[in-house]
Coordinates of all heavy atoms in Angstrom, one line a residue:
M1 N 20.5 25.4 13.3 CA 20.2 24.6 14.5 C 20.4 23.1 14.2 O 20.2 22.6 13.1 CB 18.7 24.8 14.8 CG 18.3 26.2 15.2 SD 18.2 26.5 17.0 CE 17.1 25.3 17.6
V2 N 20.7 22.4 15.3 CA 20.9 21.0 15.2 C 19.7 20.3 15.8 O 19.3 20.7 16.9 CB 22.2 20.5 15.9 CG1 22.4 19.0 15.8 CG2 23.4 21.2 15.2
Y3 N 19.1 19.4 15.1 CA 18.0 18.6 15.7 C 18.3 17.2 15.7 O 19.0 16.6 14.8 CB 16.8 18.8 14.8 CG 16.3 20.3 14.7 CD1 16.7 21.1 13.6 CD2 15.4 20.8 15.6 CE1 16.3 22.4 13.5 CE2 15.0 22.1 15.5 CZ 15.4 22.9 14.5 OH 15.0 24.2 14.4
N4 N 17.7 16.5 16.7 CA 17.8 15.0 16.7 C 16.5 14.5 16.0 O 15.4 14.6 16.5 CB 17.8 14.5 18.1 CG 17.9 13.0 18.2 OD1 17.9 12.3 17.2 ND2 18.0 12.5 19.4
Y5 N 16.8 14.0 14.8 CA 15.7 13.5 13.9 C 14.9 12.4 14.6 O 13.7 12.3 14.5 CB 16.3 13.0 12.6 CG 15.3 12.9 11.5 CD1 15.3 13.9 10.5 CD2 14.4 11.9 11.3 CE1 14.5 13.9 9.5 CE2 13.5 11.9 10.3 CZ 13.5 12.9 9.3 OH 12.7 12.8 8.3
T6 N 15.6 11.5 15.4 CA 14.9 10.5 16.1 C 13.9 11.0 17.1 O 12.8 10.5 17.2 CB 16.0 9.6 16.8 OG1 17.0 9.2 15.9 CG2 15.3 8.4 17.4
E7 N 14.3 12.1 17.8 CA 13.5 12.7 18.8 C 12.2 13.2 18.1 O 11.1 13.0 18.6 CB 14.2 13.8 19.5 CG 13.3 14.4 20.6 CD 14.1 15.6 21.3 OE1 15.3 15.6 21.3 OE2 13.4 16.5 21.8
E8 N 12.4 13.9 17.0 CA 11.2 14.4 16.3 C 10.3 13.3 15.8 O 9.1 13.4 16.0 CB 11.7 15.2 15.1 CG 10.7 15.9 14.3 CD 10.0 17.0 15.0 OE1 10.6 17.5 16.0 OE2 8.9 17.4 14.6
A9 N 10.9 12.2 15.4 CA 10.0 11.1 14.9 C 9.2 10.5 16.1 O 8.1 10.2 15.9 CB 10.9 10.0 14.2
V10 N 9.9 10.3 17.2 CA 9.3 9.7 18.4 C 8.1 10.6 18.8 O 7.0 10.2 19.1 CB 10.3 9.4 19.5 CG1 9.6 9.0 20.8 CG2 11.2 8.3 19.1
R11 N 8.4 11.9 18.9 CA 7.4 12.9 19.3 C 6.2 12.8 18.4 O 5.1 13.0 18.9 CB 8.1 14.3 19.3 CG 7.3 15.3 20.1 CD 8.0 16.7 20.0 NE 9.3 16.7 20.5 CZ 9.7 16.8 21.8 NH1 8.7 16.8 22.7 NH2 10.9 16.9 22.2
R12 N 6.4 12.7 17.1 CA 5.3 12.7 16.2 C 4.4 11.4 16.4 O 3.2 11.5 16.3 CB 5.9 12.6 14.8 CG 6.5 13.9 14.3 CD 5.5 15.0 14.0 NE 6.2 16.2 13.6 CZ 6.6 16.5 12.4 NH1 6.3 15.7 11.4 NH2 7.2 17.6 12.1
I13 N 5.0 10.2 16.5 CA 4.2 9.1 16.5 C 3.8 8.6 17.9 O 2.9 7.7 18.0 CB 4.8 7.9 15.7 CG1 6.1 7.4 16.3 CG2 5.0 8.3 14.2 CD1 6.5 6.0 15.7
L14 N 4.4 9.1 18.9 CA 4.1 8.7 20.3 C 2.5 8.6 20.6 O 2.0 7.6 21.1 CB 4.8 9.5 21.3 CG 4.7 9.0 22.8 CD1 5.4 7.6 22.9 CD2 5.5 10.0 23.7
P15 N 1.8 9.7 20.3 CA 0.4 9.7 20.6 C -0.4 8.6 19.9 O -1.3 8.0 20.4 CB -0.1 11.1 20.1 CG 1.1 11.9 20.0 CD 2.2 11.0 19.7
D16 N 0.0 8.3 18.6 CA -0.6 7.2 17.9 C -0.4 5.8 18.5 O -1.3 5.0 18.6 CB -0.1 7.1 16.4 CG -0.6 8.3 15.6 OD1 -1.6 9.0 16.1 OD2 -0.1 8.6 14.5
I17 N 0.9 5.6 18.9 CA 1.3 4.3 19.5 C 0.5 4.2 20.9 O 0.0 3.1 21.2 CB 2.8 4.2 19.8 CG1 3.6 4.6 18.5 CG2 3.2 2.8 20.2 CD1 3.4 3.7 17.3
I18 N 0.5 5.2 21.6 CA -0.2 5.1 22.9 C -1.7 4.8 22.7 O -2.3 4.0 23.4 CB 0.0 6.4 23.7 CG1 1.4 6.6 24.2 CG2 -1.0 6.5 24.9 CD1 1.7 7.8 25.0
R19 N -2.3 5.5 21.7 CA -3.7 5.3 21.4 C -4.0 3.8 21.0 O -4.9 3.2 21.5 CB -4.2 6.2 20.3 CG -5.7 6.4 20.3 CD -6.1 7.4 19.2 NE -5.3 8.6 19.2 CZ -4.6 9.1 18.1 NH1 -4.6 8.4 17.0 NH2 -3.9 10.2 18.2
D20 N -3.1 3.3 20.2 CA -3.2 1.9 19.8 C -3.1 0.9 21.0 O -3.8 0.0 21.2 CB -2.2 1.5 18.8 CG -2.7 1.9 17.4 OD1 -3.8 2.3 17.2 OD2 -1.9 1.7 16.4
Y21 N -2.1 1.3 21.9 CA -1.8 0.4 23.0 C -2.9 0.4 24.0 O -3.2 -0.6 24.6 CB -0.5 0.9 23.7 CG 0.2 -0.1 24.7 CD1 1.0 -1.0 24.2 CD2 -0.1 0.0 26.0 CE1 1.6 -1.9 25.1 CE2 0.4 -0.9 26.9 CZ 1.3 -1.9 26.4 OH 1.9 -2.8 27.3
L22 N -3.6 1.6 24.1 CA -4.7 1.7 25.0 C -5.9 0.8 24.6 O -6.7 0.4 25.5 CB -5.2 3.1 25.1 CG -4.4 4.1 26.0 CD1 -4.8 5.5 25.7 CD2 -4.7 3.7 27.5
K23 N -6.0 0.4 23.4 CA -7.1 -0.4 22.9 C -7.0 -1.8 23.6 O -8.0 -2.4 23.9 CB -7.0 -0.6 21.4 CG -7.5 0.6 20.6 CD -7.3 0.4 19.1 CE -7.5 1.7 18.4 NZ -6.9 1.7 17.0
T24 N -5.8 -2.3 23.8 CA -5.6 -3.6 24.4 C -5.2 -3.5 25.9 O -5.3 -4.5 26.6 CB -4.5 -4.4 23.6 OG1 -3.4 -3.6 23.5 CG2 -5.0 -4.9 22.3
H25 N -4.8 -2.3 26.3 CA -4.4 -2.1 27.7 C -5.0 -0.8 28.2 O -4.3 0.2 28.4 CB -2.9 -2.0 27.8 CG -2.1 -3.2 27.3 ND1 -1.9 -3.4 26.0 CD2 -1.6 -4.3 27.9 CE1 -1.2 -4.5 25.8 NE2 -1.0 -5.1 26.9
P26 N -6.4 -0.8 28.4 CA -7.1 0.4 28.7 C -6.7 1.1 30.1 O -7.1 2.2 30.3 CB -8.5 0.0 28.7 CG -8.6 -1.4 28.9 CD -7.3 -2.0 28.4
H27 N -5.9 0.4 30.9 CA -5.7 0.9 32.3 C -4.4 1.5 32.5 O -4.0 1.9 33.6 CB -5.9 -0.2 33.3 CG -7.3 -0.8 33.3 ND1 -8.4 -0.1 33.4 CD2 -7.7 -2.1 33.0 CE1 -9.5 -0.8 33.3 NE2 -9.1 -2.1 33.0
I28 N -3.6 1.7 31.4 CA -2.3 2.3 31.6 C -2.4 3.8 31.9 O -3.4 4.4 31.4 CB -1.3 2.0 30.4 CG1 -1.8 2.7 29.2 CG2 -1.0 0.5 30.2 CD1 -0.7 2.9 28.1
C29 N -1.5 4.3 32.6 CA -1.5 5.8 32.9 C -0.9 6.6 31.7 O 0.1 6.2 31.2 CB -0.7 6.1 34.2 SG -0.7 7.8 34.6
T30 N -1.6 7.6 31.3 CA -1.0 8.4 30.2 C -0.9 9.9 30.6 O -1.1 10.8 29.9 CB -1.9 8.3 29.0 OG1 -3.3 8.7 29.3 CG2 -2.0 6.9 28.4
C31 N -0.6 10.1 31.9 CA -0.3 11.5 32.4 C 0.9 12.0 31.8 O 1.7 11.3 31.2 CB -0.2 11.5 33.9 SG 1.3 10.9 34.6
D32 N 1.2 13.3 31.9 CA 2.3 14.0 31.3 C 3.6 13.4 31.8 O 4.6 13.2 31.0 CB 2.3 15.5 31.5 CG 1.3 16.2 30.6 OD1 0.7 15.5 29.7 OD2 1.0 17.3 30.9
L33 N 3.7 13.1 33.1 CA 4.9 12.5 33.6 C 5.2 11.1 32.9 O 6.4 10.9 32.5 CB 4.8 12.3 35.1 CG 6.0 11.7 35.8 CD1 7.3 12.6 35.7 CD2 5.7 11.4 37.3
C34 N 4.2 10.3 32.9 CA 4.4 9.0 32.3 C 4.8 9.1 30.8 O 5.6 8.4 30.3 CB 3.2 8.1 32.5 SG 3.0 7.5 34.2
K35 N 4.1 10.0 30.1 CA 4.4 10.2 28.7 C 5.9 10.7 28.5 O 6.6 10.2 27.5 CB 3.4 11.2 28.0 CG 2.1 10.5 27.6 CD 1.3 11.4 26.7 CE 0.4 12.3 27.5 NZ -0.7 12.9 26.7
D36 N 6.3 11.6 29.4 CA 7.7 12.0 29.3 C 8.7 10.9 29.5 O 9.7 10.7 28.9 CB 8.0 13.1 30.3 CG 7.5 14.5 29.7 OD1 7.1 14.6 28.6 OD2 7.5 15.5 30.5
D37 N 8.3 10.0 30.5 CA 9.2 8.9 30.9 C 9.2 7.9 29.7 O 10.3 7.3 29.3 CB 8.6 8.1 32.1 CG 9.0 8.8 33.4 OD1 9.9 9.7 33.3 OD2 8.4 8.5 34.4
I38 N 8.1 7.7 29.0 CA 8.0 6.8 27.9 C 8.9 7.3 26.7 O 9.7 6.6 26.1 CB 6.5 6.7 27.4 CG1 5.7 5.9 28.4 CG2 6.5 6.0 26.0 CD1 4.2 6.0 28.2
M39 N 8.8 8.7 26.5 CA 9.6 9.3 25.5 C 11.1 9.1 25.7 O 11.9 8.8 24.9 CB 9.2 10.8 25.4 CG 10.0 11.6 24.4 SD 9.0 12.4 23.2 CE 10.3 13.2 22.3
A40 N 11.5 9.4 27.0 CA 12.9 9.3 27.4 C 13.4 7.9 27.2 O 14.5 7.6 26.7 CB 13.1 9.8 28.8
L41 N 12.6 6.9 27.7 CA 13.1 5.5 27.6 C 13.2 5.1 26.2 O 14.1 4.4 25.8 CB 12.0 4.6 28.3 CG 12.3 4.3 29.8 CD1 11.0 3.6 30.4 CD2 13.5 3.4 30.0
A42 N 12.2 5.4 25.4 CA 12.2 5.0 23.9 C 13.5 5.6 23.3 O 14.2 5.0 22.5 CB 11.0 5.5 23.3
L43 N 13.7 6.9 23.5 CA 14.9 7.6 22.9 C 16.2 7.0 23.3 O 17.2 6.9 22.6 CB 14.9 9.1 23.2 CG 13.8 9.9 22.4 CD1 13.7 11.3 22.9 CD2 14.2 9.9 20.9
N44 N 16.3 6.5 24.6 CA 17.5 5.9 25.0 C 17.8 4.5 24.3 O 18.9 4.0 24.3 CB 17.4 5.6 26.6 CG 17.8 6.9 27.3 OD1 18.4 7.8 26.8 ND2 17.3 7.0 28.5
Q45 N 16.7 3.9 23.8 CA 16.9 2.7 23.1 C 17.2 2.9 21.6 O 17.5 1.9 20.9 CB 15.6 1.8 23.2 CG 15.2 1.4 24.6 CD 13.9 0.7 24.7 OE1 13.7 -0.2 23.9 NE2 13.0 1.2 25.5
L46 N 17.1 4.1 21.1 CA 17.2 4.3 19.7 C 18.5 5.1 19.4 O 18.8 6.0 20.2 CB 16.0 5.0 19.1 CG 14.7 4.3 19.1 CD1 13.5 5.2 19.0 CD2 14.7 3.2 18.0
P47 N 19.1 4.9 18.3 CA 20.3 5.7 18.0 C 19.8 7.1 17.6 O 18.9 7.3 16.9 CB 20.9 5.0 16.8 CG 19.9 4.1 16.2 CD 18.9 3.8 17.3
P48 N 20.5 8.1 18.1 CA 20.2 9.5 17.6 C 20.6 9.7 16.2 O 21.5 9.0 15.7 CB 21.0 10.4 18.6 CG 22.2 9.5 19.0 CD 21.7 8.1 19.0
H49 N 19.9 10.6 15.5 CA 20.3 10.9 14.1 C 20.1 12.4 14.0 O 19.0 13.0 13.8 CB 19.3 10.2 13.2 CG 19.6 10.4 11.7 ND1 20.5 9.6 11.1 CD2 19.2 11.3 10.9 CE1 20.6 10.0 9.8 NE2 19.8 11.1 9.7
Y50 N 21.3 13.1 14.0 CA 21.3 14.6 14.0 C 21.3 15.1 12.6 O 21.9 14.6 11.7 CB 22.5 15.1 14.8 CG 22.4 14.7 16.2 CD1 23.2 13.7 16.8 CD2 21.6 15.4 17.1 CE1 23.1 13.3 18.1 CE2 21.5 15.0 18.4 CZ 22.3 14.0 18.9 OH 22.2 13.6 20.2
V51 N 20.5 16.1 12.5 CA 20.4 16.8 11.2 C 20.5 18.3 11.5 O 20.2 18.8 12.5 CB 19.1 16.6 10.4 CG1 19.0 15.1 10.0 CG2 17.9 16.9 11.3
V52 N 21.0 19.1 10.5 CA 21.1 20.5 10.6 C 20.1 21.2 9.7 O 19.9 20.8 8.5 CB 22.5 21.0 10.1 CG1 22.6 22.5 10.1 CG2 23.6 20.4 11.1
S53 N 19.4 22.1 10.3 CA 18.4 22.8 9.5 C 18.6 24.3 9.8 O 18.7 24.7 11.0 CB 17.0 22.4 9.9 OG 16.0 23.3 9.3
D54 N 18.6 25.1 8.8 CA 18.7 26.6 9.0 C 17.4 27.2 9.2 O 17.3 28.4 9.4 CB 19.6 27.2 7.9 CG 19.0 27.0 6.6 OD1 17.9 26.4 6.5 OD2 19.6 27.4 5.6
R55 N 16.3 26.5 9.1 CA 15.0 27.1 9.3 C 14.6 26.8 10.7 O 15.1 25.8 11.4 CB 14.0 26.5 8.4 CG 14.2 26.8 6.9 CD 13.3 26.2 6.0 NE 13.4 24.7 6.1 CZ 12.4 23.9 6.1 NH1 11.2 24.3 6.2 NH2 12.6 22.6 6.2
G56 N 13.6 27.6 11.2 CA 13.1 27.3 12.6 C 12.3 26.1 12.6 O 12.1 25.4 13.7
T57 N 11.7 25.8 11.5 CA 10.8 24.6 11.5 C 11.4 23.5 10.6 O 12.2 23.8 9.7 CB 9.4 25.0 10.9 OG1 9.6 25.6 9.6 CG2 8.7 25.9 11.8
I58 N 11.1 22.3 11.0 CA 11.7 21.2 10.2 C 10.6 20.1 9.9 O 9.6 20.1 10.6 CB 12.8 20.5 11.0 CG1 12.4 20.3 12.5 CG2 14.1 21.2 10.8 CD1 13.3 19.3 13.2
F59 N 10.9 19.3 9.0 CA 10.1 18.1 8.7 C 8.6 18.3 8.6 O 7.9 18.2 9.6 CB 10.4 17.0 9.8 CG 11.7 17.0 10.4 CD1 11.9 17.0 11.8 CD2 12.8 16.9 9.6 CE1 13.1 16.9 12.3 CE2 14.1 16.8 10.1 CZ 14.2 16.8 11.5
T60 N 8.1 18.5 7.5 CA 6.7 18.5 7.4 C 6.2 17.0 7.5 O 5.2 16.7 8.0 CB 6.2 19.0 6.1 OG1 6.9 18.5 5.0 CG2 6.4 20.6 6.1
Q61 N 7.1 16.1 7.1 CA 6.8 14.7 7.2 C 8.0 13.9 7.6 O 9.1 14.1 6.9 CB 6.3 14.2 5.8 CG 5.6 12.9 5.9 CD 5.0 12.5 4.6 OE1 5.2 13.1 3.6 NE2 4.2 11.4 4.6
V62 N 7.9 13.2 8.6 CA 9.1 12.4 9.1 C 9.3 11.2 8.2 O 8.4 10.4 8.0 CB 8.9 12.0 10.6 CG1 9.9 11.0 11.0 CG2 8.9 13.2 11.5
S63 N 10.6 11.0 7.8 CA 10.9 9.9 7.0 C 11.6 8.9 7.9 O 12.7 9.1 8.4 CB 11.9 10.3 5.9 OG 12.5 9.1 5.4
F64 N 11.0 7.7 8.2 CA 11.6 6.8 9.1 C 12.7 6.0 8.5 O 13.5 5.4 9.2 CB 10.5 5.8 9.6 CG 9.5 6.5 10.5 CD1 8.3 7.0 10.0 CD2 9.8 6.5 11.9 CE1 7.4 7.6 10.9 CE2 8.9 7.2 12.7 CZ 7.7 7.7 12.2
D65 N 12.8 6.1 7.1 CA 13.9 5.4 6.5 C 15.3 5.9 7.0 O 16.3 5.2 7.0 CB 13.9 5.7 5.0 CG 12.6 5.0 4.3 OD1 12.0 4.2 5.0 OD2 12.3 5.4 3.2
Q66 N 15.3 7.2 7.3 CA 16.6 7.8 7.8 C 17.0 7.3 9.1 O 18.2 7.5 9.5 CB 16.4 9.3 7.9 CG 16.2 10.0 6.5 CD 16.5 11.5 6.7 OE1 17.4 11.9 7.4 NE2 15.7 12.3 6.0
I67 N 16.1 6.7 9.9 CA 16.5 6.3 11.3 C 16.2 4.8 11.5 O 15.9 4.4 12.6 CB 15.7 7.2 12.3 CG1 14.2 7.2 12.0 CG2 16.3 8.6 12.3 CD1 13.4 7.9 13.1
G68 N 16.4 4.0 10.5 CA 16.3 2.6 10.7 C 14.9 2.0 10.5 O 14.8 0.8 10.8
G69 N 14.0 2.7 10.1 CA 12.7 2.1 9.8 C 11.7 2.4 10.9 O 12.0 2.5 12.1
K70 N 10.4 2.4 10.6 CA 9.4 2.7 11.5 C 9.2 1.6 12.5 O 8.9 1.8 13.7 CB 8.0 3.0 10.8 CG 6.9 3.5 11.7 CD 5.7 3.9 10.9 CE 4.6 4.4 11.9 NZ 3.4 4.9 11.1
A71 N 9.4 0.4 12.1 CA 9.2 -0.8 13.0 C 10.1 -0.7 14.2 O 9.6 -1.0 15.3 CB 9.5 -2.1 12.2
Q72 N 11.3 -0.3 14.0 CA 12.3 -0.2 15.1 C 11.8 0.9 16.2 O 11.9 0.7 17.4 CB 13.6 0.2 14.6 CG 14.7 0.2 15.7 CD 16.0 0.8 15.2 OE1 17.0 0.5 15.7 NE2 16.0 1.7 14.2
V73 N 11.3 2.0 15.6 CA 10.8 3.1 16.5 C 9.6 2.7 17.2 O 9.4 2.9 18.5 CB 10.5 4.4 15.6 CG1 10.0 5.5 16.5 CG2 11.8 4.8 14.9
V74 N 8.6 2.0 16.6 CA 7.4 1.5 17.2 C 7.7 0.5 18.3 O 7.2 0.6 19.4 CB 6.4 0.9 16.2 CG1 5.2 0.2 16.8 CG2 5.9 2.0 15.2
A75 N 8.7 -0.4 18.0 CA 9.1 -1.4 19.0 C 9.7 -0.8 20.2 O 9.4 -1.2 21.4 CB 10.0 -2.4 18.4
A76 N 10.5 0.2 20.0 CA 11.1 0.9 21.2 C 10.1 1.6 22.0 O 10.1 1.6 23.3 CB 12.2 1.9 20.7
I77 N 9.2 2.3 21.4 CA 8.1 3.0 22.1 C 7.2 2.0 22.9 O 6.9 2.2 24.0 CB 7.3 3.9 21.2 CG1 8.1 5.0 20.6 CG2 6.0 4.4 21.9 CD1 7.4 5.8 19.5
T78 N 6.9 0.9 22.2 CA 6.0 -0.1 22.9 C 6.7 -0.7 24.1 O 6.1 -0.8 25.2 CB 5.7 -1.2 21.9 OG1 5.1 -0.7 20.7 CG2 4.7 -2.2 22.5
R79 N 8.0 -1.0 24.0 CA 8.8 -1.5 25.1 C 8.8 -0.4 26.3 O 8.6 -0.8 27.4 CB 10.2 -1.8 24.7 CG 10.5 -3.2 24.3 CD 12.0 -3.5 24.3 NE 12.8 -2.6 23.5 CZ 13.0 -2.8 22.2 NH1 12.5 -3.8 21.6 NH2 13.8 -1.9 21.6
A80 N 8.9 0.8 25.9 CA 9.0 1.9 26.9 C 7.6 2.0 27.6 O 7.5 2.2 28.8 CB 9.3 3.2 26.2
I81 N 6.5 1.9 26.8 CA 5.2 2.0 27.5 C 5.0 0.8 28.5 O 4.5 1.0 29.6 CB 4.1 1.9 26.4 CG1 4.1 3.1 25.5 CG2 2.7 1.7 27.0 CD1 3.1 3.0 24.3
E82 N 5.5 -0.4 28.1 CA 5.4 -1.5 29.0 C 6.1 -1.3 30.3 O 5.7 -1.5 31.4 CB 5.9 -2.8 28.3 CG 4.9 -3.3 27.3 CD 5.5 -4.4 26.4 OE1 6.7 -4.7 26.5 OE2 4.8 -4.9 25.5
Q83 N 7.4 -0.8 30.1 CA 8.2 -0.5 31.3 C 7.6 0.5 32.2 O 7.5 0.3 33.4 CB 9.6 -0.1 30.9 CG 10.5 -1.2 30.4 CD 11.8 -0.6 29.9 OE1 12.5 0.1 30.6 NE2 12.3 -1.0 28.7
V84 N 7.1 1.6 31.6 CA 6.6 2.7 32.5 C 5.3 2.3 33.1 O 5.0 2.6 34.3 CB 6.4 4.0 31.6 CG1 5.7 5.1 32.4 CG2 7.8 4.5 31.2
S85 N 4.4 1.6 32.4 CA 3.1 1.2 32.9 C 3.3 0.2 34.0 O 2.5 0.1 34.9 CB 2.2 0.8 31.8 OG 2.7 -0.4 31.2
N86 N 4.3 -0.6 33.9 CA 4.6 -1.6 35.0 C 5.1 -1.0 36.2 O 5.0 -1.5 37.3 CB 5.6 -2.7 34.5 CG 5.0 -3.7 33.6 OD1 3.8 -3.9 33.6 ND2 5.9 -4.3 32.8
K87 N 5.8 0.2 36.1 CA 6.4 0.8 37.2 C 6.4 2.3 37.1 O 7.4 3.0 36.9 CB 7.9 0.3 37.3 CG 8.4 0.2 38.7 CD 9.8 -0.4 38.6 CE 10.4 -0.5 40.0 NZ 11.8 -1.0 40.0
P88 N 5.2 2.9 37.2 CA 5.1 4.4 37.1 C 5.8 5.0 38.2 O 5.9 4.5 39.3 CB 3.6 4.7 37.1 CG 2.9 3.5 37.6 CD 3.9 2.3 37.4
R89 N 6.3 6.3 38.0 CA 7.1 6.9 39.1 C 6.2 7.7 40.0 O 6.7 8.6 40.7 CB 8.1 7.9 38.4 CG 9.3 7.1 37.8 CD 10.4 8.1 37.5 NE 10.2 9.1 36.6 CZ 10.5 10.4 36.7 NH1 11.1 10.8 37.8 NH2 10.2 11.2 35.7
H90 N 4.9 7.4 40.1 CA 4.0 8.1 41.0 C 3.0 7.1 41.4 O 2.9 6.0 40.9 CB 3.4 9.3 40.3 CG 2.6 8.9 39.0 ND1 1.4 8.2 39.1 CD2 2.9 9.1 37.7 CE1 1.0 8.0 37.8 NE2 1.9 8.5 37.0
Q91 N 2.1 7.5 42.3 CA 1.1 6.6 42.9 C -0.1 6.4 41.8 O -0.4 7.4 41.2 CB 0.5 7.1 44.2 CG 1.5 7.1 45.3 CD 2.1 5.7 45.5 OE1 1.3 4.7 45.7 NE2 3.4 5.6 45.6
Ligands
ZN121 ZN1 1.2 8.6 35.1

């Protein structure tokens, strides 16, 4: 199977980043639609990094070194949260 390592990394740390962001911005929406939008926007800002795994499961621990460092991923997610919370696609 082919996996996008970047996607796995974003999926793993997204809840932590949202939790941190909520500390300073308690009123942002964190419904499933907004979380999906945040994930898609963040992934569009980051280069994909495809890996092949013959097992059904991958990565017990995500290594951010492989995808340009954690800071880049956190920055992309934070930008995505700002964009989505400024303009959610629902009322
Ligand atoms: Zn929402």
Side-chain angles (χ1 to χ4, degrees):
M1 294 263 307
V2 178
Y3 298 95
N4 181 357
Y5 202 99
T6 309
E7 181 182 337
E8 184 67 18
V10 169
R11 199 182 297 281
R12 290 282 177 92
I13 64 166
L14 188 62
D16 290 344
I17 310 296
I18 289 178
R19 202 177 311 124
D20 277 355
Y21 197 85
L22 278 168
K23 288 177 191 159
T24 48
H25 304 78
H27 301 299
I28 65 163
C29 181
T30 56
C31 73
D32 285 347
L33 178 66
C34 287
K35 276 192 274 195
D36 281 352
D37 280 346
I38 290 165
M39 174 124 181
L41 268 172
L43 283 171
N44 281 338
Q45 296 176 52
L46 293 163
H49 183 87
Y50 294 103
V51 293
V52 174
S53 170
D54 55 6
R55 293 176 297 136
T57 54
I58 43 166
F59 326 128
T60 50
Q61 197 175 7
V62 168
S63 165
F64 289 94
D65 294 345
Q66 292 197 39
I67 52 173
K70 189 173 181 176
Q72 185 190 209
V73 177
V74 171
I77 293 174
T78 303
R79 268 198 305 273
I81 293 172
E82 284 165 359
Q83 284 179 48
V84 171
S85 63
N86 282 338
K87 216 176 178 184
R89 286 198 293 135
H90 59 71
Q91 293 303 310

